[in-house]
Amino acid sequence: MTINTFFQFLVPKDKKFFPLFEQATSNLILMATTLHEVVNLPASERPELFRKIEEFEQIGEDITRQTNIELSSNFITPFDREDIYALITAIDTISGNLYGAASRMRLYHVDKITKSIRKLTEINLEACQHIDVAVRELRDLKKIKKITDACNKINKLENKSDTVYDKAVADLFENEQDAKKILIYKEVLSVLESAADKCKNAANVLESIAVKHS
């Protein structure tokens, strides 16, 4: 190993990890945006967007894989290795839940989209946008207010998602007579609510990083 190679091994922390985090959250916003578009379109116009969501999910997996490769091959990292792993895993899990919701809508032929489904996709989109804001502030951890503000907003959105989900399920059992439809809609609602929970998990990781390094 030459001396130049040695120093490249030690130093490239901010040239690799931060761009990967930002790519991951940008991709997450694209997925959440597309899912929100899906639930506001007639069934005949959704297939192309479902394909896009699948592509975004694959891109997200590739970014996660690349981040983990960098984590295993770089000696110095911008913050604790376990926090890097927790953050990229949290983002990837949100992506998986959003993809899961889209996949269930497609596979179960959910043609009629309820207000609650639309509201949950809206909440998830907004939460993903706040995650992106917080992630972009990681490059400068001297000022953590933007991160903590974004995390507070995500927590409030997650609480809102719980309320929307609980009311939607109650209405479903009260008003829907078809047991098959109850199962299908409850499954879609559950995955969307879980995505909001995972956004809160990402916020917890971000807030922990900010506090440790402020």
Side-chain angles (χ1 to χ4, degrees):
M1 179 184 289
T2 66
I3 190 67
N4 286 338
T5 304
F6 177 74
F7 280 116
Q8 286 175 358
F9 175 74
L10 289 177
V11 175
K13 53 185 182 179
D14 58 344
K15 293 184 178 179
K16 293 188 176 181
F17 289 105
F18 292 131
L20 284 167
F21 296 146
E22 291 164 9
Q23 288 169 32
T25 55
S26 293
N27 187 67
L28 194 62
I29 289 175
L30 287 172
M31 181 180 283
T33 300
T34 306
L35 182 59
H36 190 52
E37 290 174 0
V38 162
V39 301
N40 285 284
L41 286 174
S44 61
E45 297 179 31
R46 295 175 198 159
E48 179 59 31
L49 295 186
F50 283 138
R51 283 190 288 272
K52 285 186 178 181
I53 290 171
E54 188 170 3
E55 290 172 7
F56 293 141
E57 200 268 342
Q58 184 58 59
I59 290 169
E61 287 190 356
D62 291 342
I63 295 169
T64 299
R65 189 179 304 111
Q66 185 59 41
T67 304
N68 288 326
I69 289 171
E70 296 296 342
L71 193 57
S72 65
S73 61
N74 284 281
F75 181 69
I76 295 179
T77 56
F79 40 83
D80 294 348
R81 305 175 77 82
E82 59 267 29
D83 288 333
I84 290 174
Y85 178 78
L87 178 57
I88 199 65
T89 300
I91 294 170
D92 186 60
T93 305
I94 299 164
S95 173
N97 276 270
L98 295 177
Y99 171 69
S103 180
R104 284 162 175 78
M105 289 181 206
R106 178 174 59 85
L107 291 173
Y108 300 160
H109 303 289
V110 180
D111 294 335
K112 182 182 177 183
I113 302 296
T114 65
K115 290 181 180 179
S116 298
I117 291 175
R118 288 194 183 94
K119 187 60 182 176
L120 286 171
T121 62
E122 181 184 338
I123 287 170
N124 277 304
L125 172 55
E126 191 174 346
C128 289
Q129 290 168 336
H130 289 308
I131 290 171
D132 182 66
V133 168
V135 162
R136 291 177 188 279
E137 291 299 316
L138 290 177
R139 288 179 182 265
D140 182 9
L141 285 167
K142 294 177 182 178
K143 298 179 180 179
I144 67 169
K145 190 174 186 306
K146 283 189 178 180
I147 295 176
T148 56
D149 284 351
C151 292
N152 288 335
K153 290 173 183 176
I154 293 165
N155 288 333
K156 289 178 181 177
L157 287 165
E158 192 275 333
N159 290 336
K160 186 184 291 186
S161 78
D162 287 342
T163 302
V164 172
Y165 173 77
D166 289 342
K167 185 177 184 305
V169 172
D171 289 346
L172 196 59
F173 280 107
E174 182 177 351
N175 299 314
E176 180 58 63
Q177 303 300 316
D178 188 330
K180 183 178 177 181
K181 286 185 179 180
I182 291 174
L183 289 173
I184 288 172
Y185 279 98
K186 188 175 183 298
E187 179 73 10
V188 173
L189 289 163
S190 178
V191 179
L192 287 170
E193 193 273 334
S194 181
D197 285 344
K198 302 309 179 184
C199 288
K200 182 178 179 179
N201 289 351
N204 290 340
V205 175
L206 285 160
E207 200 158 26
S208 175
I209 294 169
V211 170
K212 284 181 186 178
H213 297 273
S214 61

mmCIF file of all heavy atoms in Angstrom, residues 11-26 63 66-67 70-71 74 76-80 83-84 87-88 91 131-132 134-142 147 206 209-210 213:
data_model
loop_
_atom_site.group_PDB
_atom_site.id
_atom_site.type_symbol
_atom_site.label_atom_id
_atom_site.label_comp_id
_atom_site.label_asym_id
_atom_site.label_seq_id
_atom_site.Cartn_x
_atom_site.Cartn_y
_atom_site.Cartn_z
ATOM 1 N N VAL A 11 -9.174 9.058 5.030
ATOM 2 C CA VAL A 11 -9.821 10.365 5.008
ATOM 3 C C VAL A 11 -11.188 10.458 4.342
ATOM 4 O O VAL A 11 -11.943 11.358 4.664
ATOM 5 C CB VAL A 11 -8.855 11.394 4.361
ATOM 6 C CG1 VAL A 11 -9.496 12.760 4.199
ATOM 7 C CG2 VAL A 11 -7.600 11.499 5.182
ATOM 8 N N PRO A 12 -11.617 9.579 3.435
ATOM 9 C CA PRO A 12 -12.740 9.893 2.549
ATOM 10 C C PRO A 12 -14.124 9.895 3.163
ATOM 11 O O PRO A 12 -15.100 9.775 2.446
ATOM 12 C CB PRO A 12 -12.663 8.789 1.496
ATOM 13 C CG PRO A 12 -12.148 7.623 2.233
ATOM 14 C CD PRO A 12 -11.226 8.184 3.269
ATOM 15 N N LYS A 13 -14.197 10.035 4.482
ATOM 16 C CA LYS A 13 -15.467 9.868 5.172
ATOM 17 C C LYS A 13 -16.584 10.748 4.629
ATOM 18 O O LYS A 13 -17.667 10.276 4.324
ATOM 19 C CB LYS A 13 -15.279 10.120 6.668
ATOM 20 C CG LYS A 13 -14.615 11.434 6.995
ATOM 21 C CD LYS A 13 -14.365 11.557 8.489
ATOM 22 C CE LYS A 13 -13.728 12.905 8.818
ATOM 23 N NZ LYS A 13 -13.499 13.074 10.238
ATOM 24 N N ASP A 14 -16.356 12.070 4.511
ATOM 25 C CA ASP A 14 -17.433 12.967 4.117
ATOM 26 C C ASP A 14 -17.659 12.969 2.617
ATOM 27 O O ASP A 14 -18.659 13.497 2.143
ATOM 28 C CB ASP A 14 -17.168 14.392 4.619
ATOM 29 C CG ASP A 14 -15.865 14.971 4.107
ATOM 30 O OD1 ASP A 14 -15.039 14.177 3.628
ATOM 31 O OD2 ASP A 14 -15.684 16.190 4.188
ATOM 32 N N LYS A 15 -16.727 12.383 1.864
ATOM 33 C CA LYS A 15 -16.894 12.337 0.413
ATOM 34 C C LYS A 15 -17.720 11.134 -0.026
ATOM 35 O O LYS A 15 -18.092 11.046 -1.178
ATOM 36 C CB LYS A 15 -15.524 12.306 -0.269
ATOM 37 C CG LYS A 15 -14.736 13.595 -0.100
ATOM 38 C CD LYS A 15 -13.433 13.547 -0.873
ATOM 39 C CE LYS A 15 -12.670 14.859 -0.733
ATOM 40 N NZ LYS A 15 -11.378 14.828 -1.452
ATOM 41 N N LYS A 16 -17.970 10.216 0.888
ATOM 42 C CA LYS A 16 -18.696 9.002 0.522
ATOM 43 C C LYS A 16 -20.012 8.843 1.277
ATOM 44 O O LYS A 16 -21.047 8.585 0.678
ATOM 45 C CB LYS A 16 -17.800 7.780 0.761
ATOM 46 C CG LYS A 16 -16.605 7.743 -0.180
ATOM 47 C CD LYS A 16 -15.837 6.439 -0.076
ATOM 48 C CE LYS A 16 -14.710 6.413 -1.112
ATOM 49 N NZ LYS A 16 -13.937 5.152 -1.060
ATOM 50 N N PHE A 17 -19.983 8.994 2.579
ATOM 51 C CA PHE A 17 -21.176 8.694 3.361
ATOM 52 C C PHE A 17 -22.277 9.739 3.197
ATOM 53 O O PHE A 17 -23.443 9.383 2.991
ATOM 54 C CB PHE A 17 -20.820 8.520 4.839
ATOM 55 C CG PHE A 17 -20.069 7.249 5.105
ATOM 56 C CD1 PHE A 17 -18.711 7.269 5.360
ATOM 57 C CD2 PHE A 17 -20.719 6.022 5.073
ATOM 58 C CE1 PHE A 17 -18.021 6.088 5.591
ATOM 59 C CE2 PHE A 17 -20.042 4.838 5.303
ATOM 60 C CZ PHE A 17 -18.686 4.870 5.566
ATOM 61 N N PHE A 18 -21.937 11.015 3.301
ATOM 62 C CA PHE A 18 -22.982 12.045 3.203
ATOM 63 C C PHE A 18 -23.696 12.017 1.852
ATOM 64 O O PHE A 18 -24.934 12.092 1.807
ATOM 65 C CB PHE A 18 -22.410 13.425 3.503
ATOM 66 C CG PHE A 18 -21.994 13.603 4.940
ATOM 67 C CD1 PHE A 18 -20.755 14.118 5.260
ATOM 68 C CD2 PHE A 18 -22.836 13.235 5.979
ATOM 69 C CE1 PHE A 18 -20.360 14.278 6.580
ATOM 70 C CE2 PHE A 18 -22.454 13.383 7.307
ATOM 71 C CZ PHE A 18 -21.206 13.905 7.612
ATOM 72 N N PRO A 19 -22.970 11.904 0.736
ATOM 73 C CA PRO A 19 -23.682 11.793 -0.546
ATOM 74 C C PRO A 19 -24.605 10.568 -0.608
ATOM 75 O O PRO A 19 -25.695 10.641 -1.181
ATOM 76 C CB PRO A 19 -22.544 11.682 -1.573
ATOM 77 C CG PRO A 19 -21.400 12.388 -0.934
ATOM 78 C CD PRO A 19 -21.515 12.059 0.529
ATOM 79 N N LEU A 20 -24.165 9.458 -0.014
ATOM 80 C CA LEU A 20 -25.008 8.261 -0.015
ATOM 81 C C LEU A 20 -26.280 8.474 0.813
ATOM 82 O O LEU A 20 -27.373 8.079 0.397
ATOM 83 C CB LEU A 20 -24.220 7.064 0.519
ATOM 84 C CG LEU A 20 -23.201 6.469 -0.450
ATOM 85 C CD1 LEU A 20 -22.256 5.514 0.286
ATOM 86 C CD2 LEU A 20 -23.892 5.740 -1.600
ATOM 87 N N PHE A 21 -26.139 9.111 1.981
ATOM 88 C CA PHE A 21 -27.323 9.420 2.791
ATOM 89 C C PHE A 21 -28.300 10.288 2.004
ATOM 90 O O PHE A 21 -29.514 10.065 2.011
ATOM 91 C CB PHE A 21 -26.940 10.160 4.070
ATOM 92 C CG PHE A 21 -26.091 9.369 5.029
ATOM 93 C CD1 PHE A 21 -25.141 10.009 5.798
ATOM 94 C CD2 PHE A 21 -26.241 8.003 5.165
ATOM 95 C CE1 PHE A 21 -24.357 9.299 6.693
ATOM 96 C CE2 PHE A 21 -25.468 7.268 6.046
ATOM 97 C CZ PHE A 21 -24.516 7.932 6.819
ATOM 98 N N GLU A 22 -27.755 11.303 1.343
ATOM 99 C CA GLU A 22 -28.599 12.258 0.613
ATOM 100 C C GLU A 22 -29.242 11.614 -0.608
ATOM 101 O O GLU A 22 -30.391 11.909 -0.947
ATOM 102 C CB GLU A 22 -27.779 13.486 0.250
ATOM 103 C CG GLU A 22 -27.406 14.314 1.487
ATOM 104 C CD GLU A 22 -26.296 15.324 1.245
ATOM 105 O OE1 GLU A 22 -25.914 15.514 0.070
ATOM 106 O OE2 GLU A 22 -25.804 15.916 2.230
ATOM 107 N N GLN A 23 -28.513 10.714 -1.260
ATOM 108 C CA GLN A 23 -29.100 9.962 -2.371
ATOM 109 C C GLN A 23 -30.258 9.091 -1.861
ATOM 110 O O GLN A 23 -31.303 8.974 -2.515
ATOM 111 C CB GLN A 23 -28.052 9.081 -3.029
ATOM 112 C CG GLN A 23 -27.009 9.818 -3.846
ATOM 113 C CD GLN A 23 -25.855 8.915 -4.233
ATOM 114 O OE1 GLN A 23 -26.027 7.712 -4.441
ATOM 115 N NE2 GLN A 23 -24.661 9.483 -4.333
ATOM 116 N N ALA A 24 -30.048 8.491 -0.693
ATOM 117 C CA ALA A 24 -31.075 7.611 -0.126
ATOM 118 C C ALA A 24 -32.349 8.381 0.198
ATOM 119 O O ALA A 24 -33.464 7.918 -0.090
ATOM 120 C CB ALA A 24 -30.534 6.925 1.128
ATOM 121 N N THR A 25 -32.215 9.575 0.802
ATOM 122 C CA THR A 25 -33.417 10.334 1.163
ATOM 123 C C THR A 25 -34.073 10.972 -0.065
ATOM 124 O O THR A 25 -35.296 11.090 -0.113
ATOM 125 C CB THR A 25 -33.106 11.405 2.219
ATOM 126 O OG1 THR A 25 -32.048 12.257 1.768
ATOM 127 C CG2 THR A 25 -32.699 10.758 3.532
ATOM 128 N N SER A 26 -33.272 11.363 -1.039
ATOM 129 C CA SER A 26 -33.851 11.882 -2.293
ATOM 130 C C SER A 26 -34.681 10.807 -2.973
ATOM 131 O O SER A 26 -35.788 11.055 -3.463
ATOM 132 C CB SER A 26 -32.747 12.364 -3.234
ATOM 133 O OG SER A 26 -32.097 13.491 -2.717
ATOM 134 N N ILE A 63 -28.330 1.616 -2.831
ATOM 135 C CA ILE A 63 -27.672 2.641 -2.006
ATOM 136 C C ILE A 63 -27.345 2.078 -0.628
ATOM 137 O O ILE A 63 -26.255 2.312 -0.088
ATOM 138 C CB ILE A 63 -28.560 3.896 -1.882
ATOM 139 C CG1 ILE A 63 -28.730 4.573 -3.246
ATOM 140 C CG2 ILE A 63 -27.951 4.897 -0.882
ATOM 141 C CD1 ILE A 63 -29.804 5.654 -3.271
ATOM 142 N N GLN A 66 -24.368 -0.212 -0.976
ATOM 143 C CA GLN A 66 -23.131 0.546 -1.167
ATOM 144 C C GLN A 66 -22.680 1.203 0.134
ATOM 145 O O GLN A 66 -21.478 1.237 0.438
ATOM 146 C CB GLN A 66 -23.332 1.610 -2.253
ATOM 147 C CG GLN A 66 -22.074 2.386 -2.618
ATOM 148 C CD GLN A 66 -20.953 1.484 -3.135
ATOM 149 O OE1 GLN A 66 -21.212 0.551 -3.896
ATOM 150 N NE2 GLN A 66 -19.725 1.756 -2.723
ATOM 151 N N THR A 67 -23.622 1.698 0.905
ATOM 152 C CA THR A 67 -23.281 2.312 2.198
ATOM 153 C C THR A 67 -22.646 1.288 3.129
ATOM 154 O O THR A 67 -21.646 1.579 3.807
ATOM 155 C CB THR A 67 -24.534 2.912 2.860
ATOM 156 O OG1 THR A 67 -25.147 3.839 1.966
ATOM 157 C CG2 THR A 67 -24.171 3.638 4.163
ATOM 158 N N GLU A 70 -19.104 0.631 2.037
ATOM 159 C CA GLU A 70 -18.221 1.721 2.475
ATOM 160 C C GLU A 70 -17.956 1.631 3.974
ATOM 161 O O GLU A 70 -16.845 1.906 4.441
ATOM 162 C CB GLU A 70 -18.836 3.075 2.139
ATOM 163 C CG GLU A 70 -19.007 3.363 0.647
ATOM 164 C CD GLU A 70 -17.678 3.433 -0.092
ATOM 165 O OE1 GLU A 70 -16.634 3.602 0.553
ATOM 166 O OE2 GLU A 70 -17.693 3.297 -1.328
ATOM 167 N N LEU A 71 -18.959 1.235 4.725
ATOM 168 C CA LEU A 71 -18.819 1.128 6.173
ATOM 169 C C LEU A 71 -17.790 0.059 6.554
ATOM 170 O O LEU A 71 -17.021 0.226 7.509
ATOM 171 C CB LEU A 71 -20.180 0.793 6.785
ATOM 172 C CG LEU A 71 -20.339 0.932 8.303
ATOM 173 C CD1 LEU A 71 -19.988 2.343 8.765
ATOM 174 C CD2 LEU A 71 -21.760 0.581 8.706
ATOM 175 N N ASN A 74 -13.971 1.492 5.190
ATOM 176 C CA ASN A 74 -13.375 2.762 5.618
ATOM 177 C C ASN A 74 -13.111 2.747 7.116
ATOM 178 O O ASN A 74 -13.998 2.434 7.916
ATOM 179 C CB ASN A 74 -14.302 3.934 5.269
ATOM 180 C CG ASN A 74 -14.243 4.273 3.792
ATOM 181 O OD1 ASN A 74 -13.327 4.913 3.328
ATOM 182 N ND2 ASN A 74 -15.238 3.792 3.051
ATOM 183 N N ILE A 76 -12.128 5.428 9.033
ATOM 184 C CA ILE A 76 -12.677 6.620 9.686
ATOM 185 C C ILE A 76 -14.038 6.940 9.080
ATOM 186 O O ILE A 76 -14.202 6.941 7.861
ATOM 187 C CB ILE A 76 -11.729 7.824 9.529
ATOM 188 C CG1 ILE A 76 -10.418 7.552 10.272
ATOM 189 C CG2 ILE A 76 -12.379 9.098 10.060
ATOM 190 C CD1 ILE A 76 -9.410 8.675 10.167
ATOM 191 N N THR A 77 -14.998 7.205 9.949
ATOM 192 C CA THR A 77 -16.354 7.545 9.506
ATOM 193 C C THR A 77 -16.764 8.872 10.138
ATOM 194 O O THR A 77 -16.216 9.279 11.161
ATOM 195 C CB THR A 77 -17.354 6.442 9.930
ATOM 196 O OG1 THR A 77 -17.282 6.253 11.351
ATOM 197 C CG2 THR A 77 -17.039 5.127 9.235
ATOM 198 N N PRO A 78 -17.743 9.576 9.543
ATOM 199 C CA PRO A 78 -18.113 10.903 10.046
ATOM 200 C C PRO A 78 -18.737 10.875 11.434
ATOM 201 O O PRO A 78 -18.688 11.865 12.157
ATOM 202 C CB PRO A 78 -19.097 11.420 8.996
ATOM 203 C CG PRO A 78 -19.588 10.212 8.288
ATOM 204 C CD PRO A 78 -18.463 9.235 8.304
ATOM 205 N N PHE A 79 -19.377 9.770 11.798
ATOM 206 C CA PHE A 79 -19.876 9.566 13.156
ATOM 207 C C PHE A 79 -19.926 8.068 13.413
ATOM 208 O O PHE A 79 -19.455 7.275 12.585
ATOM 209 C CB PHE A 79 -21.224 10.250 13.406
ATOM 210 C CG PHE A 79 -22.201 10.158 12.272
ATOM 211 C CD1 PHE A 79 -23.005 9.040 12.098
ATOM 212 C CD2 PHE A 79 -22.332 11.213 11.366
ATOM 213 C CE1 PHE A 79 -23.906 8.956 11.057
ATOM 214 C CE2 PHE A 79 -23.246 11.135 10.322
ATOM 215 C CZ PHE A 79 -24.036 9.998 10.168
ATOM 216 N N ASP A 80 -20.420 7.676 14.575
ATOM 217 C CA ASP A 80 -20.321 6.277 15.000
ATOM 218 C C ASP A 80 -20.829 5.307 13.936
ATOM 219 O O ASP A 80 -21.875 5.524 13.315
ATOM 220 C CB ASP A 80 -21.129 6.065 16.284
ATOM 221 C CG ASP A 80 -20.550 6.827 17.460
ATOM 222 O OD1 ASP A 80 -19.421 7.320 17.344
ATOM 223 O OD2 ASP A 80 -21.243 6.930 18.497
ATOM 224 N N ASP A 83 -24.335 4.130 14.250
ATOM 225 C CA ASP A 83 -25.323 5.134 13.872
ATOM 226 C C ASP A 83 -25.483 5.210 12.355
ATOM 227 O O ASP A 83 -26.594 5.419 11.850
ATOM 228 C CB ASP A 83 -24.937 6.503 14.433
ATOM 229 C CG ASP A 83 -25.125 6.580 15.942
ATOM 230 O OD1 ASP A 83 -25.978 5.849 16.462
ATOM 231 O OD2 ASP A 83 -24.426 7.365 16.588
ATOM 232 N N ILE A 84 -24.376 5.056 11.651
ATOM 233 C CA ILE A 84 -24.446 5.023 10.186
ATOM 234 C C ILE A 84 -25.295 3.838 9.737
ATOM 235 O O ILE A 84 -26.187 3.974 8.890
ATOM 236 C CB ILE A 84 -23.038 4.939 9.573
ATOM 237 C CG1 ILE A 84 -22.287 6.255 9.786
ATOM 238 C CG2 ILE A 84 -23.107 4.607 8.075
ATOM 239 C CD1 ILE A 84 -20.840 6.217 9.342
ATOM 240 N N LEU A 87 -28.979 4.437 10.624
ATOM 241 C CA LEU A 87 -29.633 5.440 9.778
ATOM 242 C C LEU A 87 -29.970 4.880 8.402
ATOM 243 O O LEU A 87 -31.105 5.013 7.934
ATOM 244 C CB LEU A 87 -28.739 6.677 9.643
ATOM 245 C CG LEU A 87 -29.280 7.794 8.749
ATOM 246 C CD1 LEU A 87 -30.647 8.263 9.236
ATOM 247 C CD2 LEU A 87 -28.297 8.964 8.708
ATOM 248 N N ILE A 88 -28.994 4.252 7.749
ATOM 249 C CA ILE A 88 -29.258 3.754 6.395
ATOM 250 C C ILE A 88 -30.261 2.605 6.436
ATOM 251 O O ILE A 88 -31.085 2.444 5.526
ATOM 252 C CB ILE A 88 -27.950 3.339 5.683
ATOM 253 C CG1 ILE A 88 -28.170 3.276 4.161
ATOM 254 C CG2 ILE A 88 -27.407 2.029 6.209
ATOM 255 C CD1 ILE A 88 -28.476 4.602 3.514
ATOM 256 N N ILE A 91 -33.775 4.196 6.827
ATOM 257 C CA ILE A 91 -34.244 4.732 5.543
ATOM 258 C C ILE A 91 -34.679 3.604 4.620
ATOM 259 O O ILE A 91 -35.721 3.676 3.951
ATOM 260 C CB ILE A 91 -33.139 5.594 4.889
ATOM 261 C CG1 ILE A 91 -32.866 6.844 5.738
ATOM 262 C CG2 ILE A 91 -33.539 5.995 3.461
ATOM 263 C CD1 ILE A 91 -31.629 7.616 5.306
ATOM 264 N N ILE A 131 -37.208 14.055 6.903
ATOM 265 C CA ILE A 131 -36.013 13.217 7.047
ATOM 266 C C ILE A 131 -34.908 13.733 6.132
ATOM 267 O O ILE A 131 -33.741 13.827 6.525
ATOM 268 C CB ILE A 131 -36.344 11.742 6.724
ATOM 269 C CG1 ILE A 131 -37.226 11.150 7.818
ATOM 270 C CG2 ILE A 131 -35.045 10.921 6.586
ATOM 271 C CD1 ILE A 131 -37.775 9.776 7.481
ATOM 272 N N ASP A 132 -35.277 14.089 4.915
ATOM 273 C CA ASP A 132 -34.299 14.617 3.960
ATOM 274 C C ASP A 132 -33.674 15.909 4.476
ATOM 275 O O ASP A 132 -32.451 16.096 4.381
ATOM 276 C CB ASP A 132 -34.987 14.865 2.612
ATOM 277 C CG ASP A 132 -34.028 15.372 1.550
ATOM 278 O OD1 ASP A 132 -33.126 14.620 1.148
ATOM 279 O OD2 ASP A 132 -34.175 16.536 1.121
ATOM 280 N N ALA A 134 -33.314 16.835 7.607
ATOM 281 C CA ALA A 134 -32.427 16.510 8.724
ATOM 282 C C ALA A 134 -31.128 15.868 8.245
ATOM 283 O O ALA A 134 -30.045 16.202 8.738
ATOM 284 C CB ALA A 134 -33.152 15.582 9.703
ATOM 285 N N VAL A 135 -31.232 14.968 7.294
ATOM 286 C CA VAL A 135 -30.041 14.281 6.775
ATOM 287 C C VAL A 135 -29.071 15.268 6.146
ATOM 288 O O VAL A 135 -27.847 15.163 6.324
ATOM 289 C CB VAL A 135 -30.455 13.184 5.767
ATOM 290 C CG1 VAL A 135 -29.267 12.770 4.890
ATOM 291 C CG2 VAL A 135 -31.003 11.970 6.505
ATOM 292 N N ARG A 136 -29.589 16.253 5.438
ATOM 293 C CA ARG A 136 -28.713 17.228 4.781
ATOM 294 C C ARG A 136 -28.020 18.148 5.788
ATOM 295 O O ARG A 136 -27.017 18.792 5.444
ATOM 296 C CB ARG A 136 -29.497 18.026 3.740
ATOM 297 C CG ARG A 136 -29.894 17.161 2.566
ATOM 298 C CD ARG A 136 -30.724 17.837 1.515
ATOM 299 N NE ARG A 136 -31.176 16.849 0.552
ATOM 300 C CZ ARG A 136 -30.440 16.381 -0.459
ATOM 301 N NH1 ARG A 136 -29.212 16.855 -0.644
ATOM 302 N NH2 ARG A 136 -30.918 15.468 -1.286
ATOM 303 N N GLU A 137 -28.540 18.194 7.011
ATOM 304 C CA GLU A 137 -27.894 18.991 8.054
ATOM 305 C C GLU A 137 -26.783 18.216 8.774
ATOM 306 O O GLU A 137 -26.070 18.787 9.592
ATOM 307 C CB GLU A 137 -28.939 19.445 9.082
ATOM 308 C CG GLU A 137 -29.922 20.482 8.546
ATOM 309 C CD GLU A 137 -29.246 21.767 8.100
ATOM 310 O OE1 GLU A 137 -28.369 22.264 8.828
ATOM 311 O OE2 GLU A 137 -29.598 22.265 7.010
ATOM 312 N N LEU A 138 -26.638 16.934 8.471
ATOM 313 C CA LEU A 138 -25.615 16.132 9.148
ATOM 314 C C LEU A 138 -24.196 16.559 8.785
ATOM 315 O O LEU A 138 -23.254 16.269 9.524
ATOM 316 C CB LEU A 138 -25.792 14.641 8.805
ATOM 317 C CG LEU A 138 -27.010 13.939 9.391
ATOM 318 C CD1 LEU A 138 -27.070 12.507 8.888
ATOM 319 C CD2 LEU A 138 -26.999 13.970 10.907
ATOM 320 N N ARG A 139 -24.046 17.224 7.658
ATOM 321 C CA ARG A 139 -22.708 17.660 7.247
ATOM 322 C C ARG A 139 -22.125 18.684 8.232
ATOM 323 O O ARG A 139 -20.920 18.818 8.346
ATOM 324 C CB ARG A 139 -22.752 18.276 5.845
ATOM 325 C CG ARG A 139 -22.979 17.251 4.728
ATOM 326 C CD ARG A 139 -23.027 17.952 3.380
ATOM 327 N NE ARG A 139 -23.283 17.037 2.278
ATOM 328 C CZ ARG A 139 -22.346 16.477 1.528
ATOM 329 N NH1 ARG A 139 -21.075 16.727 1.785
ATOM 330 N NH2 ARG A 139 -22.673 15.674 0.522
ATOM 331 N N ASP A 140 -23.000 19.422 8.918
ATOM 332 C CA ASP A 140 -22.552 20.415 9.890
ATOM 333 C C ASP A 140 -23.324 20.217 11.185
ATOM 334 O O ASP A 140 -24.429 20.713 11.347
ATOM 335 C CB ASP A 140 -22.777 21.835 9.350
ATOM 336 C CG ASP A 140 -22.284 22.899 10.317
ATOM 337 O OD1 ASP A 140 -21.616 22.534 11.315
ATOM 338 O OD2 ASP A 140 -22.581 24.086 10.099
ATOM 339 N N LEU A 141 -22.722 19.486 12.093
ATOM 340 C CA LEU A 141 -23.419 19.137 13.329
ATOM 341 C C LEU A 141 -23.226 20.165 14.442
ATOM 342 O O LEU A 141 -23.572 19.903 15.595
ATOM 343 C CB LEU A 141 -22.954 17.759 13.803
ATOM 344 C CG LEU A 141 -23.533 16.583 13.004
ATOM 345 C CD1 LEU A 141 -22.788 15.295 13.327
ATOM 346 C CD2 LEU A 141 -25.019 16.423 13.279
ATOM 347 N N LYS A 142 -22.671 21.329 14.080
ATOM 348 C CA LYS A 142 -22.515 22.376 15.090
ATOM 349 C C LYS A 142 -23.843 23.053 15.406
ATOM 350 O O LYS A 142 -24.046 23.595 16.488
ATOM 351 C CB LYS A 142 -21.493 23.409 14.620
ATOM 352 C CG LYS A 142 -20.077 22.850 14.502
ATOM 353 C CD LYS A 142 -19.113 23.895 13.955
ATOM 354 C CE LYS A 142 -17.711 23.301 13.787
ATOM 355 N NZ LYS A 142 -16.769 24.292 13.206
ATOM 356 N N ILE A 147 -32.161 19.903 12.682
ATOM 357 C CA ILE A 147 -32.356 18.457 12.801
ATOM 358 C C ILE A 147 -33.425 18.154 13.843
ATOM 359 O O ILE A 147 -34.358 17.388 13.587
ATOM 360 C CB ILE A 147 -31.032 17.749 13.159
ATOM 361 C CG1 ILE A 147 -30.031 17.897 12.008
ATOM 362 C CG2 ILE A 147 -31.280 16.269 13.456
ATOM 363 C CD1 ILE A 147 -28.667 17.312 12.290
ATOM 364 N N LEU A 206 -31.532 10.083 13.894
ATOM 365 C CA LEU A 206 -30.993 11.398 13.528
ATOM 366 C C LEU A 206 -30.807 12.288 14.754
ATOM 367 O O LEU A 206 -29.786 12.969 14.894
ATOM 368 C CB LEU A 206 -31.929 12.072 12.517
ATOM 369 C CG LEU A 206 -31.874 11.511 11.093
ATOM 370 C CD1 LEU A 206 -33.132 11.870 10.321
ATOM 371 C CD2 LEU A 206 -30.631 12.036 10.375
ATOM 372 N N ILE A 209 -27.789 11.115 16.769
ATOM 373 C CA ILE A 209 -26.541 11.538 16.139
ATOM 374 C C ILE A 209 -26.268 13.006 16.429
ATOM 375 O O ILE A 209 -25.148 13.397 16.790
ATOM 376 C CB ILE A 209 -26.591 11.297 14.604
ATOM 377 C CG1 ILE A 209 -26.648 9.800 14.299
ATOM 378 C CG2 ILE A 209 -25.371 11.937 13.919
ATOM 379 C CD1 ILE A 209 -26.974 9.477 12.847
ATOM 380 N N ALA A 210 -27.305 13.816 16.276
ATOM 381 C CA ALA A 210 -27.156 15.268 16.493
ATOM 382 C C ALA A 210 -26.730 15.576 17.919
ATOM 383 O O ALA A 210 -25.837 16.410 18.156
ATOM 384 C CB ALA A 210 -28.464 15.975 16.155
ATOM 385 N N HIS A 213 -23.042 14.584 18.757
ATOM 386 C CA HIS A 213 -21.959 15.300 18.083
ATOM 387 C C HIS A 213 -22.129 16.812 18.103
ATOM 388 O O HIS A 213 -21.393 17.520 17.430
ATOM 389 C CB HIS A 213 -21.836 14.802 16.637
ATOM 390 C CG HIS A 213 -21.457 13.348 16.561
ATOM 391 N ND1 HIS A 213 -20.152 12.932 16.578
ATOM 392 C CD2 HIS A 213 -22.215 12.226 16.513
ATOM 393 C CE1 HIS A 213 -20.118 11.609 16.520
ATOM 394 N NE2 HIS A 213 -21.361 11.148 16.476
#
